[in-house]
Amino acid sequence: MKALTFSTFGNSDVLEYIQIPNPELKNDEILIEMKAIGLNFADVYRRKGNYHLKGNPPFIAGYEGAGIVVDANNHPEYKVGDRVAFADAPFANAELVAVNINHVIPLSENISFEIAASVLLQGLTAHYLATDSHKTTKGETVLIHAVAGGVGQILTQISKLLGATVIGLTSSSEKAQIGFEQGADHVFLYNEDWKSQVFNIIPKGVDVVYDSIGSTLQESFEVTKECGQVVFFGMAGGDPEPVDPRMLMDGSKTLTGGDLWSYLNSKEERIKRAAQLFNWIIDGKIKLSEPTSFKLSEGKLAHDFLESRKSTGKIILIP
């Protein structure tokens, strides 16, 4: 089979599209012929050598994708030709991927391979943020950092679906427009006095802030109301400053960490959460931007495009 690989760490020049042996199935795995693969910043970090990475050189990145079963490996719940997807199985940047049966998510005809590869990681992240890390209720006001990003766009729609008012933060007027298109009630720019703008709307502060930037964590607490919550789930802007427990006590505020892998902890959880997400999409309650597609053989171009930060929707790779 062909795969997008790298044998040394570095910029996109280290990527190689080469012929390698097909995966050897373990007893608890099935073989999937990939039709669409999600590209994420985590794959860039893996290529650079600063994120967890499985296997040995030549390394294969990618954890998210969709395709059809080509070898059910004597697992009666699957048959050749079944449409399936996954959000957390390694070595996805290849024509064939061996996936543990506990990580396989059935895919209905209503959800295309491209949609599944576009939405699972970011959509399931937005889902747990709004329903587990913070249980969003009608009438709340939520603040979403990086509102035009992949998670931000879906989190905005889920928050509105659950009855919240959404304030978004982003870096440009073009990205602000994307936030409004997703349903945000207000969008402010980082290079403005956004904290004052937040307080003009809700003087006591917001109920919850979803912070994927990291370096903004202290500011997130400043705009959170007493008894409010900050959910910290990413460090796109760098490590946060240490949090003072006294500040938490004085304002009765809560800091919650968020990581998707804590919630995708069983076959049942993966299928249940994905089904909820897919149903919202099928019912038109969540609308997705059209993904930007590259051939898997054009992986270098796809990585460069992602790192340019010119993309606003999902990037997918097509074998």
Side-chain angles (χ1 to χ4, degrees):
M1 69 173 185
K2 288 288 189 71
L4 182 66
T5 72
F6 54 99
S7 294
T8 58
F9 300 121
N11 63 25
S12 63
D13 291 334
V14 303
L15 292 169
E16 297 178 303
Y17 187 64
I18 61 174
Q19 189 85 30
I20 62 172
N22 291 359
E24 293 185 10
L25 291 181
K26 298 174 184 174
N27 290 337
D28 57 357
E29 293 177 336
I30 63 174
L31 191 64
I32 298 174
E33 179 185 314
M34 300 303 293
K35 298 298 184 184
I37 303 159
L39 179 63
N40 297 284
F41 266 106
D43 300 316
V44 172
Y45 304 150
R46 290 184 182 100
R47 188 199 75 217
K48 292 180 175 180
N50 51 19
Y51 202 64
H52 63 83
L53 182 65
K54 292 194 173 186
N56 300 299
F59 298 112
I60 304 173
Y63 265 73
E64 168 189 45
I68 59 171
V69 176
V70 291
D71 186 345
N73 199 20
N74 298 314
H75 290 285
E77 64 265 51
Y78 298 105
K79 64 181 184 299
V80 172
D82 280 352
R83 306 174 79 254
V84 295
F86 57 86
D88 58 339
F91 317 128
N93 287 348
E95 293 178 323
L96 298 170
V97 181
V99 180
N100 184 292
I101 56 170
N102 292 319
H103 293 241
V104 177
I105 296 169
L107 204 57
S108 76
E109 294 289 342
N110 303 79
I111 300 291
S112 69
F113 296 121
E114 293 79 10
I115 289 293
S118 299
V119 77
L120 275 174
L121 271 176
Q122 294 172 342
L124 291 174
T125 297
H127 178 268
Y128 89 76
L129 289 171
T131 61
D132 294 280
S133 296
H134 178 83
K135 297 185 185 299
T136 306
T137 58
K138 187 174 182 179
E140 287 188 325
T141 300
V142 309
L143 178 67
I144 300 174
H145 282 274
V147 72
V151 173
Q153 291 186 38
I154 302 172
L155 182 55
T156 296
Q157 294 186 60
I158 293 176
S159 299
K160 293 298 295 181
L161 192 58
L162 297 174
T165 296
V166 174
I167 302 172
L169 296 175
T170 193
S171 59
S172 70
S173 55
E174 292 80 12
K175 289 185 176 181
Q177 185 57 41
I178 292 168
F180 284 123
E181 289 169 1
Q182 306 307 309
D185 299 278
H186 312 274
V187 182
F188 303 130
L189 303 185
Y190 285 115
N191 62 3
E192 298 174 349
D193 184 6
W194 60 266
K195 289 185 287 185
S196 295
Q197 293 174 312
V198 169
F199 283 123
N200 285 339
I201 293 165
I202 185 155
K204 291 185 177 180
V206 300
D207 293 278
V208 60
V209 179
Y210 295 105
D211 193 324
S212 58
I213 306 301
S215 57
T216 54
L217 197 61
Q218 186 57 48
E219 293 172 296
S220 294
F221 275 111
E222 290 171 15
V223 296
T224 305
K225 73 175 188 180
E226 284 196 345
C227 303
Q229 182 181 12
V230 173
V231 181
F232 168 52
F233 71 102
M235 297 179 291
D239 287 326
E241 293 294 321
V243 173
D244 181 2
R246 176 66 189 267
M247 177 273 294
L248 298 177
M249 182 184 76
D250 289 347
S252 300
K253 297 182 182 183
T254 302
L255 172 62
T256 301
D259 186 81
L260 177 61
W261 313 128
S262 301
Y263 296 95
L264 298 186
N265 53 18
S266 70
K267 176 180 182 178
E268 292 74 24
E269 280 295 313
R270 290 180 183 91
I271 292 174
K272 180 184 74 172
R273 290 172 182 273
Q276 173 72 85
L277 188 63
F278 290 154
N279 285 339
W280 279 336
I281 294 169
I282 292 167
D283 293 343
K285 294 176 179 177
I286 290 179
K287 294 180 171 59
L288 302 174
S289 304
E290 190 73 24
T292 301
S293 298
F294 290 86
K295 293 178 182 177
L296 184 59
S297 59
E298 299 172 332
K300 173 180 162 41
L301 294 177
H303 276 238
D304 289 343
F305 186 57
L306 180 61
E307 289 188 272
S308 75
R309 296 191 182 268
K310 294 176 182 175
S311 62
T312 53
K314 185 75 173 190
I315 298 172
I316 60 174
L317 303 172
I318 307 296

